[in-house]
Amino acid sequence: MGINLKPIDIVDDITQEEFIEKYLKPRKPVVIKNMARKWPAYQKWTMEYMKEVVGDVEVPLYDSSKADPAAPINASAAKMKFTDYVDLIQREPTDLRIFFFDPIKHAKKLLKDYISPKDLMGGFLDKYPSMFFGGKGSVTFLHYDIDMAHIFHTHFNGRKHVLLFDYKWKERLYKIPYATYALEDYDIENPDFTKFPALDGVEGIECFLEHGDTLFMPTGWWHWMKYLDGSFSISLRAWDKSWAVKAHSLWNLTVQRKFDDIMKKNFKKKYMDWKEKGAIKRAEIALKKGLPK
């Protein structure tokens, strides 16, 4: 059977009423083509403009290798001047990405270049929204966001391949215990169903983002992303109204994260091995039970 991927809904524009009824309430992803075309960023945010406004700030870079349990949490694979990194991703493929650095903090004029979609919903969070840069071929591993926010993810200067999975599939995706990411030993683009049988039959959504496309990812949706060109994105985050979702977010950000950090620090590889075995065991149980139903 394999993984069952359906194409994402795509709209040019959308009213608040239609957005709420079709996508926000049922928590269903959608791509909005024209939202960012109303932003100054649609024309201004070229690679050269980013280099000009952010400058030679040194940035941490992350690659696609499996996390080393003995390394410090969020340890970078390399460091580079921002301008040199942008030159690199324009020049050649690389798996190096920026995702723990926020260019807007170093170039606050960028805040004037986008518009939060408050005409669609409220609850937007960030004073400085997250930005993500990647080289051609670089991959963001399969995960869901720890704060359980709704996300409006707008892409610039290239293409990005995105796979999305509803939160209910978490066990079948080999979710790591006490974490918000999946087992890193399989390739979600081309999984080995013999080694990872729980993936067989998982249902998801596939989309391809181009310059100016905005992807709405509802709270809790798992996502995997691959940069098809050296390019970048901005994510605007908004709270879900559900107190249950807010409580889940608080648990993730405090109790779960703190416990996981302590266990990693003290037990390193032994703890990570236990978590990976737990992910496999839970996936096998979910498959036998035919979950989710």
Side-chain angles (χ1 to χ4, degrees), residues 2-6 164-166 168-169 199 201-205 221:
I3 294 178
N4 181 17
L5 295 174
K6 295 181 179 179
L164 300 157
F165 302 92
D166 193 302
K168 68 183 181 181
W169 290 100
L199 295 172
V202 168
E203 298 173 359
I205 294 174
W221 273 74

Side-chain angles (χ1 to χ4, degrees), residues 66 117-118 142 195 239 272 278 290:
K66 188 174 179 177
K118 295 178 181 178
L142 184 61
K195 290 184 179 179
W239 277 120
M272 294 300 291

Side-chain angles (χ1 to χ4, degrees), residues 2-4 142 172-174 186-188 191-193 196-203 287:
I3 294 178
N4 181 17
L142 184 61
R172 294 278 296 274
L173 292 170
Y174 295 85
Y186 65 83
D187 177 4
I188 194 64
D192 184 336
F193 297 111
F196 305 100
L199 295 172
D200 196 2
V202 168
E203 298 173 359
L287 179 61

